[in-house]
Amino acid sequence: MANSVFDELPVLVRQQPQAALDRLIETLRQQRRYHKLFDARLLKRKAELGLPVSRPASLSDVPQSLRKQVEETYIDAAREVGQRFLEAGDIPSAWMYLQVIREPEAVRQAIDALPLPDQSDDTLEQIARIALFEGVHPTKGVQLLLRLHGTCSTITSLDQAMGNLSQADRQACAKVMVRELYRDLRDNVERDVQRRIAVLPPGVSLRELITARDWLFEGGNYHIDVSHLSSVVRFARSIEGGEELDLALQLAEYGSRLDPQLQYGGDPPFDDFYPAHQAFFRALLDQDREQALGYFRDKLAHEPDERDQPLLAYVLVDLLMRCGRLDEAVDVAARYLTNLSEEVSISFFDLCVEAGRFDVLLKVLREQDDPVAYAAALVAQQRSEQ
Protein backbone atom coordinates (compact mmCIF):
# COMPACT_ATOMS: atom_id res chain seq x y z
CA MET A 1 0.00 0.00 0.00
CA ALA A 2 1.27 3.51 -0.79
CA ASN A 3 3.19 5.16 2.04
CA SER A 4 0.78 8.12 1.88
CA VAL A 5 -2.03 5.88 3.12
CA PHE A 6 0.10 4.56 5.96
CA ASP A 7 0.82 8.16 6.78
CA GLU A 8 -2.86 9.13 6.61
CA LEU A 9 -4.27 6.33 8.73
CA PRO A 10 -2.77 7.28 12.14
CA VAL A 11 -4.11 10.80 11.82
CA LEU A 12 -7.51 9.72 10.55
CA VAL A 13 -7.93 7.04 13.22
CA ARG A 14 -7.39 9.65 15.95
CA GLN A 15 -9.69 12.21 14.34
CA GLN A 16 -12.35 10.14 12.52
CA PRO A 17 -11.95 6.37 13.10
CA GLN A 18 -14.74 5.36 10.71
CA ALA A 19 -13.46 7.70 7.99
CA ALA A 20 -10.05 6.07 8.35
CA LEU A 21 -11.51 2.64 7.76
CA ASP A 22 -13.58 3.93 4.83
CA ARG A 23 -10.38 5.30 3.33
CA LEU A 24 -8.66 1.95 3.85
CA ILE A 25 -11.52 0.06 2.20
CA GLU A 26 -11.60 2.34 -0.83
CA THR A 27 -7.82 2.12 -1.24
CA LEU A 28 -7.93 -1.66 -1.16
CA ARG A 29 -10.67 -1.65 -3.79
CA GLN A 30 -8.61 0.59 -6.04
CA GLN A 31 -5.53 -1.59 -5.60
CA ARG A 32 -7.56 -4.77 -6.19
CA ARG A 33 -6.32 -6.31 -2.97
CA TYR A 34 -9.55 -8.16 -2.53
CA HIS A 35 -8.56 -10.61 0.21
CA LYS A 36 -7.56 -7.63 2.34
CA LEU A 37 -10.73 -5.80 1.31
CA PHE A 38 -12.81 -8.59 2.86
CA ASP A 39 -10.89 -8.30 6.12
CA ALA A 40 -11.14 -4.51 6.10
CA ARG A 41 -14.93 -4.56 5.76
CA LEU A 42 -15.21 -6.91 8.72
CA LEU A 43 -12.74 -4.76 10.67
CA LYS A 44 -14.92 -1.70 10.14
CA ARG A 45 -18.05 -3.51 11.30
CA LYS A 46 -16.40 -4.86 14.42
CA ALA A 47 -14.94 -1.46 15.23
CA GLU A 48 -18.41 0.10 14.93
CA LEU A 49 -19.80 -2.46 17.38
CA GLY A 50 -16.93 -2.16 19.86
CA LEU A 51 -15.82 -5.76 19.29
CA PRO A 52 -12.25 -7.11 19.37
CA VAL A 53 -10.41 -6.28 16.14
CA SER A 54 -7.30 -8.46 16.30
CA ARG A 55 -8.96 -11.09 14.07
CA PRO A 56 -11.25 -9.10 11.79
CA ALA A 57 -12.67 -12.01 9.76
CA SER A 58 -13.29 -14.29 12.73
CA LEU A 59 -16.80 -14.79 14.12
CA SER A 60 -15.65 -16.71 17.19
CA ASP A 61 -15.21 -13.52 19.25
CA VAL A 62 -18.65 -12.13 18.38
CA PRO A 63 -21.30 -12.43 21.12
CA GLN A 64 -24.64 -13.92 20.15
CA SER A 65 -26.43 -10.60 20.62
CA LEU A 66 -24.34 -8.99 17.85
CA ARG A 67 -23.79 -12.02 15.65
CA LYS A 68 -26.55 -11.23 13.16
CA GLN A 69 -25.15 -7.77 12.44
CA VAL A 70 -21.63 -9.06 11.87
CA GLU A 71 -22.89 -11.98 9.75
CA GLU A 72 -24.80 -9.58 7.50
CA THR A 73 -21.58 -7.68 6.81
CA TYR A 74 -19.71 -10.97 6.38
CA ILE A 75 -22.16 -12.12 3.70
CA ASP A 76 -22.20 -8.77 1.92
CA ALA A 77 -18.40 -8.53 1.95
CA ALA A 78 -17.99 -12.08 0.69
CA ARG A 79 -20.46 -11.38 -2.11
CA GLU A 80 -18.60 -8.21 -3.13
CA VAL A 81 -15.16 -9.79 -3.00
CA GLY A 82 -16.34 -12.90 -4.85
CA GLN A 83 -17.83 -10.78 -7.61
CA ARG A 84 -14.69 -8.64 -7.89
CA PHE A 85 -12.53 -11.74 -8.24
CA LEU A 86 -14.86 -13.02 -10.97
CA GLU A 87 -14.56 -9.70 -12.79
CA ALA A 88 -10.77 -10.11 -12.53
CA GLY A 89 -11.01 -13.62 -14.01
CA ASP A 90 -9.89 -15.35 -10.80
CA ILE A 91 -12.51 -18.08 -10.42
CA PRO A 92 -10.76 -20.11 -7.68
CA SER A 93 -10.43 -17.05 -5.42
CA ALA A 94 -14.04 -16.07 -6.09
CA TRP A 95 -15.17 -19.55 -5.10
CA MET A 96 -13.41 -19.23 -1.74
CA TYR A 97 -15.92 -16.53 -0.78
CA LEU A 98 -19.06 -17.44 -2.68
CA GLN A 99 -18.85 -21.04 -1.51
CA VAL A 100 -19.02 -19.94 2.12
CA ILE A 101 -22.21 -17.95 1.60
CA ARG A 102 -23.68 -20.67 -0.64
CA GLU A 103 -24.02 -18.57 -3.76
CA PRO A 104 -22.49 -20.73 -6.52
CA GLU A 105 -24.49 -19.47 -9.49
CA ALA A 106 -22.15 -16.63 -10.49
CA VAL A 107 -19.20 -19.03 -10.36
CA ARG A 108 -21.14 -21.54 -12.45
CA GLN A 109 -21.82 -18.88 -15.07
CA ALA A 110 -18.16 -17.87 -15.14
CA ILE A 111 -17.06 -21.50 -15.58
CA ASP A 112 -19.69 -22.05 -18.26
CA ALA A 113 -18.32 -19.09 -20.22
CA LEU A 114 -14.76 -20.46 -20.24
CA PRO A 115 -13.52 -21.70 -23.63
CA LEU A 116 -12.14 -25.24 -23.59
CA PRO A 117 -8.35 -24.91 -23.28
CA ASP A 118 -5.58 -26.14 -25.53
CA GLN A 119 -3.17 -26.70 -22.66
CA SER A 120 -3.27 -27.06 -18.90
CA ASP A 121 -2.17 -24.77 -16.09
CA ASP A 122 -2.65 -24.74 -12.33
CA THR A 123 -5.64 -22.40 -12.46
CA LEU A 124 -7.51 -24.54 -14.96
CA GLU A 125 -6.81 -27.61 -12.82
CA GLN A 126 -8.37 -25.85 -9.84
CA ILE A 127 -11.37 -24.74 -11.89
CA ALA A 128 -11.96 -28.25 -13.21
CA ARG A 129 -11.95 -29.65 -9.68
CA ILE A 130 -14.28 -26.90 -8.43
CA ALA A 131 -16.63 -27.59 -11.33
CA LEU A 132 -16.77 -31.36 -10.84
CA PHE A 133 -15.92 -32.19 -7.24
CA GLU A 134 -17.56 -29.15 -5.68
CA GLY A 135 -20.62 -29.70 -7.88
CA VAL A 136 -20.60 -26.16 -9.28
CA HIS A 137 -20.77 -27.20 -12.95
CA PRO A 138 -20.06 -30.95 -13.25
CA THR A 139 -20.65 -31.13 -17.00
CA LYS A 140 -18.12 -28.39 -17.75
CA GLY A 141 -15.77 -30.01 -15.26
CA VAL A 142 -15.89 -33.24 -17.25
CA GLN A 143 -15.34 -31.34 -20.50
CA LEU A 144 -12.34 -29.54 -19.02
CA LEU A 145 -10.83 -32.75 -17.67
CA LEU A 146 -11.25 -34.47 -21.03
CA ARG A 147 -9.39 -31.64 -22.70
CA LEU A 148 -6.71 -31.39 -20.00
CA HIS A 149 -6.09 -35.06 -19.21
CA GLY A 150 -7.95 -37.27 -21.67
CA THR A 151 -10.44 -40.06 -21.19
CA CYS A 152 -8.65 -42.29 -18.68
CA SER A 153 -8.09 -39.66 -16.01
CA THR A 154 -11.56 -38.18 -16.54
CA ILE A 155 -13.21 -41.56 -16.01
CA THR A 156 -11.31 -41.96 -12.73
CA SER A 157 -12.35 -38.50 -11.57
CA LEU A 158 -15.98 -38.97 -12.57
CA ASP A 159 -16.10 -42.32 -10.80
CA GLN A 160 -14.99 -40.55 -7.62
CA ALA A 161 -17.49 -37.72 -8.00
CA MET A 162 -20.52 -39.57 -9.37
CA GLY A 163 -22.02 -40.57 -6.03
CA ASN A 164 -22.17 -36.96 -4.85
CA LEU A 165 -23.87 -35.58 -7.95
CA SER A 166 -27.57 -35.06 -8.48
CA GLN A 167 -29.36 -37.31 -10.94
CA ALA A 168 -29.53 -34.43 -13.44
CA ASP A 169 -25.78 -33.84 -13.20
CA ARG A 170 -24.97 -37.55 -13.38
CA GLN A 171 -27.02 -37.77 -16.55
CA ALA A 172 -25.41 -34.69 -18.09
CA CYS A 173 -21.89 -35.94 -17.32
CA ALA A 174 -22.70 -39.40 -18.65
CA LYS A 175 -23.94 -37.87 -21.89
CA VAL A 176 -20.64 -36.01 -22.33
CA MET A 177 -18.67 -39.21 -21.79
CA VAL A 178 -20.88 -41.24 -24.13
CA ARG A 179 -20.57 -38.68 -26.93
CA GLU A 180 -16.80 -38.47 -26.46
CA LEU A 181 -16.15 -42.20 -26.45
CA TYR A 182 -18.66 -42.90 -29.21
CA ARG A 183 -17.00 -40.38 -31.50
CA ASP A 184 -13.53 -41.81 -30.90
CA LEU A 185 -14.69 -45.41 -31.29
CA ARG A 186 -16.77 -44.75 -34.40
CA ASP A 187 -13.86 -42.92 -36.04
CA ASN A 188 -11.44 -45.74 -35.21
CA VAL A 189 -13.79 -48.40 -36.55
CA GLU A 190 -14.44 -46.36 -39.69
CA ARG A 191 -10.71 -46.16 -40.41
CA ASP A 192 -10.44 -49.92 -39.99
CA VAL A 193 -13.35 -50.55 -42.34
CA GLN A 194 -11.92 -48.15 -44.93
CA ARG A 195 -8.83 -50.31 -45.21
CA ARG A 196 -11.02 -52.86 -46.97
CA ILE A 197 -13.82 -50.67 -48.30
CA ALA A 198 -12.40 -47.55 -49.85
CA VAL A 199 -15.64 -45.58 -50.06
CA LEU A 200 -18.19 -45.33 -47.27
CA PRO A 201 -21.28 -43.12 -47.24
CA PRO A 202 -20.96 -40.14 -44.92
CA GLY A 203 -22.36 -40.24 -41.39
CA VAL A 204 -22.37 -44.02 -41.02
CA SER A 205 -23.19 -45.03 -37.44
CA LEU A 206 -21.13 -47.37 -35.32
CA ARG A 207 -23.98 -49.89 -35.50
CA GLU A 208 -23.88 -49.83 -39.29
CA LEU A 209 -20.11 -50.08 -39.37
CA ILE A 210 -19.95 -53.27 -37.29
CA THR A 211 -23.01 -55.02 -38.76
CA ALA A 212 -22.02 -58.21 -40.66
CA ARG A 213 -18.32 -57.42 -40.23
CA ASP A 214 -17.12 -60.07 -37.81
CA TRP A 215 -13.61 -59.66 -39.21
CA LEU A 216 -13.36 -56.39 -37.26
CA PHE A 217 -13.10 -58.44 -34.06
CA GLU A 218 -11.03 -61.38 -35.27
CA GLY A 219 -7.94 -62.29 -33.31
CA GLY A 220 -9.05 -60.30 -30.26
CA ASN A 221 -9.00 -57.05 -32.21
CA TYR A 222 -10.48 -53.93 -30.58
CA HIS A 223 -10.64 -50.24 -31.45
CA ILE A 224 -10.81 -48.44 -28.08
CA ASP A 225 -9.47 -49.04 -24.58
CA VAL A 226 -11.83 -51.75 -23.35
CA SER A 227 -11.72 -50.51 -19.74
CA HIS A 228 -12.83 -47.07 -20.93
CA LEU A 229 -15.63 -48.68 -22.92
CA SER A 230 -17.02 -50.62 -19.95
CA SER A 231 -16.81 -47.58 -17.64
CA VAL A 232 -18.66 -45.29 -20.04
CA VAL A 233 -21.35 -47.90 -20.70
CA ARG A 234 -21.79 -48.17 -16.93
CA PHE A 235 -22.05 -44.38 -16.59
CA ALA A 236 -24.72 -44.41 -19.30
CA ARG A 237 -27.20 -46.11 -16.97
CA SER A 238 -27.81 -42.60 -15.58
CA ILE A 239 -29.17 -41.40 -18.94
CA GLU A 240 -32.95 -41.16 -19.13
CA GLY A 241 -33.39 -40.71 -22.88
CA GLY A 242 -32.33 -38.84 -25.98
CA GLU A 243 -29.75 -39.46 -28.66
CA GLU A 244 -27.04 -40.38 -26.17
CA LEU A 245 -29.04 -43.35 -24.93
CA ASP A 246 -28.98 -44.89 -28.40
CA LEU A 247 -25.26 -44.10 -28.68
CA ALA A 248 -24.78 -45.95 -25.39
CA LEU A 249 -26.72 -48.90 -26.81
CA GLN A 250 -24.39 -48.93 -29.81
CA LEU A 251 -21.39 -48.93 -27.47
CA ALA A 252 -22.87 -51.95 -25.67
CA GLU A 253 -23.54 -53.65 -29.00
CA TYR A 254 -19.91 -53.13 -29.96
CA GLY A 255 -18.74 -54.42 -26.58
CA SER A 256 -20.80 -57.58 -26.95
CA ARG A 257 -18.88 -58.39 -30.18
CA LEU A 258 -15.47 -58.26 -28.47
CA ASP A 259 -13.51 -61.38 -27.61
CA PRO A 260 -14.90 -62.72 -24.29
CA GLN A 261 -11.54 -62.12 -22.62
CA LEU A 262 -12.00 -58.40 -23.32
CA GLN A 263 -15.49 -58.22 -21.82
CA TYR A 264 -15.28 -57.34 -18.14
CA GLY A 265 -18.00 -58.54 -15.80
CA GLY A 266 -20.03 -56.34 -13.47
CA ASP A 267 -22.15 -56.59 -10.37
CA PRO A 268 -25.45 -58.50 -10.64
CA PRO A 269 -27.59 -58.16 -12.68
CA PHE A 270 -24.86 -56.77 -14.96
CA ASP A 271 -22.52 -59.73 -14.51
CA ASP A 272 -23.03 -60.56 -18.20
CA PHE A 273 -22.02 -57.00 -18.82
CA TYR A 274 -22.84 -55.97 -22.38
CA PRO A 275 -25.95 -58.12 -22.97
CA ALA A 276 -27.37 -56.81 -19.66
CA HIS A 277 -26.70 -53.22 -20.67
CA GLN A 278 -28.21 -53.79 -24.08
CA ALA A 279 -31.40 -55.00 -22.38
CA PHE A 280 -31.31 -52.02 -19.98
CA PHE A 281 -30.95 -49.43 -22.73
CA ARG A 282 -33.51 -51.09 -24.98
CA ALA A 283 -36.07 -51.05 -22.19
CA LEU A 284 -35.55 -47.30 -21.77
CA LEU A 285 -35.66 -46.74 -25.52
CA ASP A 286 -38.85 -48.84 -25.79
CA GLN A 287 -37.19 -51.23 -28.21
CA ASP A 288 -38.68 -54.68 -27.51
CA ARG A 289 -39.38 -53.38 -24.03
CA GLU A 290 -41.16 -56.47 -22.72
CA GLN A 291 -38.33 -58.72 -23.79
CA ALA A 292 -35.78 -56.32 -22.28
CA LEU A 293 -37.64 -56.12 -18.96
CA GLY A 294 -38.00 -59.88 -19.05
CA TYR A 295 -34.21 -60.17 -18.98
CA PHE A 296 -34.14 -58.55 -15.53
CA ARG A 297 -37.27 -60.29 -14.29
CA ASP A 298 -35.65 -63.63 -15.12
CA LYS A 299 -32.41 -62.62 -13.44
CA LEU A 300 -34.29 -61.83 -10.24
CA ALA A 301 -36.52 -64.90 -10.39
CA HIS A 302 -33.55 -67.25 -10.76
CA GLU A 303 -31.20 -65.62 -8.25
CA PRO A 304 -30.64 -68.21 -5.49
CA ASP A 305 -28.71 -65.95 -3.11
CA GLU A 306 -31.15 -63.94 -0.97
CA ARG A 307 -28.40 -61.40 -0.24
CA ASP A 308 -28.16 -60.54 -3.93
CA GLN A 309 -31.90 -60.41 -4.57
CA PRO A 310 -32.39 -56.82 -3.28
CA LEU A 311 -29.61 -55.60 -5.59
CA LEU A 312 -31.27 -57.18 -8.61
CA ALA A 313 -34.68 -55.98 -7.48
CA TYR A 314 -33.35 -52.44 -7.06
CA VAL A 315 -32.23 -52.35 -10.71
CA LEU A 316 -35.54 -53.80 -11.91
CA VAL A 317 -37.62 -51.38 -9.83
CA ASP A 318 -35.57 -48.42 -11.05
CA LEU A 319 -36.01 -49.57 -14.63
CA LEU A 320 -39.74 -50.16 -14.21
CA MET A 321 -40.20 -46.69 -12.73
CA ARG A 322 -38.31 -45.07 -15.58
CA CYS A 323 -40.46 -47.00 -18.05
CA GLY A 324 -43.67 -45.85 -16.32
CA ARG A 325 -44.53 -49.33 -14.98
CA LEU A 326 -45.32 -48.09 -11.49
CA ASP A 327 -47.71 -50.85 -10.43
CA GLU A 328 -45.20 -53.58 -11.18
CA ALA A 329 -42.45 -51.51 -9.56
CA VAL A 330 -44.51 -51.35 -6.34
CA ASP A 331 -45.11 -55.10 -6.38
CA VAL A 332 -41.40 -55.88 -6.80
CA ALA A 333 -40.37 -53.29 -4.22
CA ALA A 334 -42.93 -54.57 -1.70
CA ARG A 335 -41.36 -58.01 -1.91
CA TYR A 336 -37.69 -57.10 -1.87
CA LEU A 337 -37.03 -53.46 -1.01
CA THR A 338 -39.17 -52.38 1.94
CA ASN A 339 -36.19 -52.30 4.32
CA LEU A 340 -33.76 -50.32 2.19
CA SER A 341 -31.85 -47.55 3.96
CA GLU A 342 -32.72 -43.93 3.29
CA GLU A 343 -29.44 -43.43 1.43
CA VAL A 344 -30.66 -45.20 -1.70
CA SER A 345 -32.46 -43.25 -4.38
CA ILE A 346 -35.59 -45.42 -4.40
CA SER A 347 -38.01 -44.71 -1.54
CA PHE A 348 -40.63 -47.43 -1.13
CA PHE A 349 -42.90 -44.92 0.61
CA ASP A 350 -42.60 -42.35 -2.21
CA LEU A 351 -42.96 -45.01 -4.88
CA CYS A 352 -46.24 -46.22 -3.42
CA VAL A 353 -47.53 -42.65 -3.09
CA GLU A 354 -46.58 -41.85 -6.70
CA ALA A 355 -48.27 -45.02 -7.91
CA GLY A 356 -51.33 -44.46 -5.71
CA ARG A 357 -50.77 -47.87 -4.10
CA PHE A 358 -51.64 -46.98 -0.52
CA ASP A 359 -53.06 -50.47 -0.03
CA VAL A 360 -49.61 -51.98 -0.39
CA LEU A 361 -47.90 -49.24 1.59
CA LEU A 362 -50.26 -49.48 4.58
CA LYS A 363 -50.06 -53.26 4.60
CA VAL A 364 -46.26 -53.28 4.65
CA LEU A 365 -45.98 -50.57 7.32
CA ARG A 366 -48.42 -52.42 9.54
CA GLU A 367 -46.40 -55.63 9.14
CA GLN A 368 -43.26 -53.67 10.04
CA ASP A 369 -44.94 -52.32 13.21
CA ASP A 370 -44.12 -48.73 12.24
CA PRO A 371 -47.02 -46.62 13.53
CA VAL A 372 -45.36 -43.29 12.67
CA ALA A 373 -44.80 -44.18 9.01
CA TYR A 374 -48.29 -45.73 8.96
CA ALA A 375 -49.79 -42.43 10.15
CA ALA A 376 -47.70 -40.54 7.59
CA ALA A 377 -49.06 -42.82 4.88
CA LEU A 378 -52.63 -42.16 6.01
CA VAL A 379 -51.98 -38.41 5.84
CA ALA A 380 -50.48 -38.79 2.34
CA GLN A 381 -53.47 -40.86 1.27
CA GLN A 382 -55.91 -38.24 2.55
CA ARG A 383 -54.06 -35.48 0.69
CA SER A 384 -54.13 -37.48 -2.52
CA GLU A 385 -57.91 -37.80 -2.27
CA GLN A 386 -58.56 -34.09 -1.79
Side-chain angles (χ1 to χ4, degrees):
M1 184 175 294
N3 289 335
S4 61
V5 177
F6 281 106
D7 293 337
E8 289 178 26
L9 285 176
V11 177
L12 286 172
V13 167
R14 286 193 298 270
Q15 297 176 351
Q16 296 177 298
Q18 294 307 312
L21 296 180
D22 287 337
R23 175 79 173 97
L24 171 64
I25 288 169
E26 187 54 38
T27 299
L28 292 171
R29 283 190 181 118
Q30 292 173 358
Q31 296 180 347
R32 300 184 179 183
R33 299 179 65 181
Y34 298 136
H35 293 301
K36 291 297 182 182
L37 171 62
F38 178 79
D39 292 345
R41 290 199 55 184
L42 269 295
L43 171 61
K44 178 185 176 184
R45 190 59 168 152
K46 282 188 169 183
E48 291 171 344
L49 297 171
L51 294 171
V53 295
S54 60
R55 293 182 296 164
S58 174
L59 299 178
S60 62
D61 53 7
V62 179
Q64 193 62 38
S65 60
L66 298 175
R67 195 172 184 88
K68 182 178 180 181
Q69 296 178 62
V70 177
E71 285 179 345
E72 288 175 350
T73 300
Y74 189 103
I75 292 170
D76 189 57
R79 186 178 295 123
E80 178 192 353
V81 169
Q83 186 58 47
R84 288 183 182 274
F85 272 122
L86 287 179
E87 292 168 358
D90 189 345
I91 292 174
S93 293
W95 179 240
M96 287 174 56
Y97 294 93
L98 297 175
Q99 175 189 29
V100 173
I101 61 174
R102 299 180 181 180
E103 295 184 3
E105 185 56 33
V107 177
R108 178 184 175 85
Q109 292 175 8
I111 292 175
D112 191 59
L114 283 176
L116 293 177
D118 293 323
Q119 57 186 11
S120 178
D121 60 42
D122 289 343
T123 299
L124 284 170
E125 296 286 349
Q126 292 180 62
I127 292 171
R129 295 190 65 83
I130 289 169
L132 179 58
F133 290 102
E134 302 290 339
V136 177
H137 197 334
T139 310
K140 190 61 174 277
V142 167
Q143 292 171 336
L144 287 169
L145 287 171
L146 283 169
R147 184 63 68 91
L148 297 173
H149 297 296
T151 302
C152 186
S153 179
T154 303
I155 286 173
T156 300
S157 296
L158 186 54
D159 249 332
Q160 295 170 354
M162 204 69 151
N164 297 321
L165 302 181
S166 68
Q167 168 56 25
D169 283 333
R170 285 197 298 271
Q171 177 175 204
C173 290
K175 287 183 174 182
V176 172
M177 296 304 298
V178 165
R179 288 195 300 268
E180 180 80 8
L181 194 83
Y182 179 89
R183 185 192 67 238
D184 291 346
L185 176 56
R186 198 211 70 84
D187 290 350
N188 292 343
V189 172
E190 183 179 57
R191 281 192 290 271
D192 197 359
V193 172
Q194 285 176 331
R195 293 190 183 101
R196 298 199 187 190
I197 303 173
V199 178
L200 283 173
V204 179
S205 70
L206 176 62
R207 179 180 291 120
E208 293 168 319
L209 287 168
I210 64 176
T211 297
R213 293 190 176 115
D214 291 342
W215 51 265
L216 285 167
F217 304 93
E218 289 176 351
N221 190 40
Y222 58 92
H223 304 83
I224 202 82
D225 187 299
V226 293
S227 66
H228 296 174
L229 177 65
S230 63
S231 293
V232 172
V233 168
R234 173 169 49 84
F235 291 154
R237 297 206 300 260
S238 298
I239 299 175
E240 300 286 346
E243 177 188 3
E244 291 83 3
L245 194 56
D246 183 63
L247 299 184
L249 175 57
Q250 292 184 55
L251 294 178
E253 291 167 353
Y254 174 91
S256 69
R257 303 280 296 274
L258 292 169
D259 186 285
Q261 295 185 7
L262 300 176
Q263 298 187 40
Y264 302 149
D267 295 325
F270 297 99
D271 38 353
D272 195 4
F273 191 80
Y274 290 113
H277 280 88
Q278 285 177 266
F280 192 89
F281 299 144
R282 284 179 177 143
L284 293 175
L285 288 164
D286 200 9
Q287 297 179 7
D288 298 321
R289 176 170 284 172
E290 275 307 308
Q291 181 182 357
L293 290 172
Y295 178 94
F296 295 99
R297 294 185 188 114
D298 290 344
K299 281 274 189 180
L300 178 58
H302 295 96
E303 175 53 55
D305 191 337
E306 291 185 0
R307 293 171 299 181
D308 283 341
Q309 287 174 353
L311 180 60
L312 275 68
Y314 183 90
V315 173
L316 177 56
V317 169
D318 175 53
L319 192 54
L320 288 166
M321 291 172 64
R322 291 161 68 177
C323 291
R325 305 291 184 87
L326 295 183
D327 276 337
E328 184 180 354
V330 169
D331 293 337
V332 176
R335 182 173 179 183
Y336 296 101
L337 304 181
T338 56
N339 292 314
L340 286 184
S341 67
E342 294 183 357
E343 285 76 21
V344 301
S345 61
I346 293 177
S347 162
F348 178 67
F349 191 108
D350 291 340
L351 171 58
C352 289
V353 170
E354 183 180 355
R357 294 295 301 277
F358 292 98
D359 55 330
V360 176
L361 179 58
L362 292 168
K363 178 177 181 294
V364 168
L365 294 176
R366 185 163 186 162
E367 291 173 350
Q368 292 180 338
D369 190 25
D370 190 340
V372 175
Y374 188 86
L378 290 172
V379 171
Q381 182 179 33
Q382 184 182 40
R383 287 176 176 172
S384 72
E385 294 171 351
Q386 291 177 347

